[in-house]
Amino acid sequence: MKIATQSSAALTHLAKLIEDIPIAMLTTLEADGTLVSRPMSTLEMDADGALWFFTDTQSSKVNRLGTLNLTFTDQDSAAYVSLSGRGELDTDRIRIRNLWNIAAKPWFPEGPESKNLALLKFIPDSADYWDGPSSKMVRAFGLVASLIAGKPVGVGDHGSHAGLSAPLPSR
């Protein structure tokens, strides 16, 4: 994933947490109220913190971009990030060509000129994160210490970031 220099300390922190996690789970709210999640390969985090993905314009998710959740999980480093936000569909061919990579070819055989290829821009509003010690030995010691103490000990950092993007303009 390409990561631009971020515009705030909160976004810089999130970028550091997710930079080595190539796949996110995108969750949409369906018309019937159910939640549907699917894996997405992250292409870029731009300077405003927006995350970019390839998508098919015929996919049902493009009709459900008003409220989204995006989760990143890295069990090896005990990093977990949940982002709430909204999405936009972008069909800018120049941007598509700039983000194109060969891994997308099975879904878009004609390459960046595939007629149904678009970009999904995820705009984060808020984030929750859990960032544990990267060493499995330290995590194991923390678990044992927590069991003995009867409370969490040395299990890492948990926090939230709010106001990550500009609010939607009033209508």
Side-chain angles (χ1 to χ4, degrees), residues 2 54 93-101 112:
K2 298 176 189 176
F54 286 133
R93 287 290 156 207
I94 294 171
R95 186 172 195 99
I96 289 171
R97 282 186 214 103
N98 287 338
L99 292 174
W100 179 255
N101 64 67

Side-chain angles (χ1 to χ4, degrees), residues 113-125:
E113 303 308 319
S114 295
K115 71 176 188 163
N116 292 334
L117 174 59
L119 291 165
L120 189 159
K121 177 183 181 183
F122 177 91
I123 303 160
D125 295 322

Side-chain angles (χ1 to χ4, degrees), residues 69-126:
N69 181 264
L70 196 59
T71 58
F72 292 86
T73 301
D74 183 350
Q75 290 181 324
D76 290 338
S77 66
Y80 306 90
V81 178
S82 175
L83 300 167
S84 296
R86 62 189 185 278
E88 296 175 358
L89 197 64
D90 187 326
T91 57
D92 177 3
R93 287 290 156 207
I94 294 171
R95 186 172 195 99
I96 289 171
R97 282 186 214 103
N98 287 338
L99 292 174
W100 179 255
N101 64 67
I102 196 68
K105 194 157 179 76
W107 290 271
F108 304 102
E110 293 85 35
E113 303 308 319
S114 295
K115 71 176 188 163
N116 292 334
L117 174 59
L119 291 165
L120 189 159
K121 177 183 181 183
F122 177 91
I123 303 160
D125 295 322
S126 63

Side-chain angles (χ1 to χ4, degrees), residues 11-146:
L11 289 172
T12 299
H13 179 237
L14 288 175
K16 182 74 176 146
L17 288 171
I18 67 172
E19 68 184 341
D20 294 325
I21 308 173
I23 304 296
M25 291 297 288
L26 176 71
T27 303
T28 56
L29 178 63
E30 300 302 297
D32 65 359
T34 59
L35 299 172
V36 175
S37 299
R38 77 247 331 131
M40 302 287 288
S41 180
T42 314
L43 301 168
E44 176 182 41
M45 183 174 185
D46 70 20
D48 296 320
L51 295 152
W52 294 82
F53 306 88
F54 286 133
T55 193
D56 189 315
T57 58
Q58 302 299 305
S59 170
S60 63
K61 72 179 161 293
V62 301
N63 298 315
R64 305 274 177 246
L65 299 179
T67 301
L68 300 174
N69 181 264
L70 196 59
T71 58
F72 292 86
T73 301
D74 183 350
Q75 290 181 324
D76 290 338
S77 66
Y80 306 90
V81 178
S82 175
L83 300 167
S84 296
R86 62 189 185 278
E88 296 175 358
L89 197 64
D90 187 326
T91 57
D92 177 3
R93 287 290 156 207
I94 294 171
R95 186 172 195 99
I96 289 171
R97 282 186 214 103
N98 287 338
L99 292 174
W100 179 255
N101 64 67
I102 196 68
K105 194 157 179 76
W107 290 271
F108 304 102
E110 293 85 35
E113 303 308 319
S114 295
K115 71 176 188 163
N116 292 334
L117 174 59
L119 291 165
L120 189 159
K121 177 183 181 183
F122 177 91
I123 303 160
D125 295 322
S126 63
D128 283 288
Y129 63 89
W130 298 261
D131 186 18
S134 59
S135 164
K136 289 182 182 181
M137 183 65 99
V138 171
R139 288 197 308 267
F141 176 77
L143 178 60
V144 171
S146 296

